[in-house]
Amino acid sequence: MRRLLKFLHTMGAIGLMGAMAALLVLLGRAPSPTAIEGYALIRGAMGAVATWLFLPSLALTLLAGLLSIAQRAFHNAGWAWAKLATGVVMFEWGFVGVQGPMQEEARLSAEALAGRINPASLGQDLGSERGTLWVLLFIATLNVVFGIWRPRLIRRPQPAS
């Protein structure tokens, strides 16, 4: 069971970091919101990446990580608790800073393309989306570092001599 959880956690992390990298590339290649056809196409693709790659990978990584830390072997491991704390940050920011805004901007750009809303309201949060993705990518990389090198973050008290 332990190996299966480790495999699932690793596969989820690969998908999660790949999705964030893809979203950063798409953000960098996105045309101005005034070029509504191209902008709506890119934002639709970003919404799909957020929905079908980012979110399932985030869920798989978090679920496998939580099930792993439930094992006694990790209860005294400081690095495992650090990964849990950063995993909660990833989960929260993943929904609030990535998933929600990506889906909403994809919906709004489709509405603007159809002529139902003013295209001037698009692209207001491009800088914050980019910043959020970079921060989450850094945190995910930190989690990989914790998982590989497993630094001792909590020192056990020495037995009395």
Side-chain angles (χ1 to χ4, degrees):
M1 181 64 146
R2 204 166 161 181
R3 287 184 188 265
L4 174 64
L5 289 174
K6 184 175 183 172
F7 173 76
L8 292 174
H9 189 69
T10 302
M11 293 305 292
I14 290 167
L16 183 62
M17 293 177 80
M20 288 188 284
L23 289 169
L24 281 168
V25 169
L26 289 171
L27 265 175
R29 301 296 301 163
S32 168
T34 56
I36 190 63
E37 294 87 10
Y39 184 77
L41 180 65
I42 290 286
R43 292 312 295 220
M46 291 174 72
V49 169
T51 300
W52 298 110
L53 186 57
F54 178 83
L55 187 61
S57 297
L58 178 62
L60 179 62
T61 304
L62 189 63
L63 185 60
L66 287 173
L67 290 173
S68 292
I69 203 166
Q71 299 176 15
R72 278 188 194 259
F74 297 122
H75 287 185
N76 291 327
W79 63 268
W81 292 102
K83 282 184 70 154
L84 175 65
T86 56
V88 170
V89 171
M90 291 286 298
F91 181 72
E92 181 69 27
W93 277 23
F95 274 109
V96 175
V98 177
Q99 183 71 21
M102 296 286 171
Q103 287 179 332
E104 182 64 14
E105 191 71 11
R107 186 188 65 76
L108 290 175
S109 62
E111 292 284 324
L113 184 61
R116 291 190 280 270
I117 65 167
N118 185 0
S121 64
L122 298 174
Q124 304 298 320
D125 293 327
L126 294 177
S128 64
E129 286 179 11
R130 187 175 287 113
T132 298
L133 285 167
W134 278 112
V135 168
L136 289 179
L137 203 51
F138 174 78
I139 292 171
T141 303
L142 188 63
N143 277 337
V144 170
V145 168
F146 282 149
I148 292 173
W149 283 285
R150 299 180 175 192
R152 223 179 248 170
L153 300 176
I154 299 174
R155 298 216 183 259
R156 288 186 179 161
Q158 295 295 327
S161 301

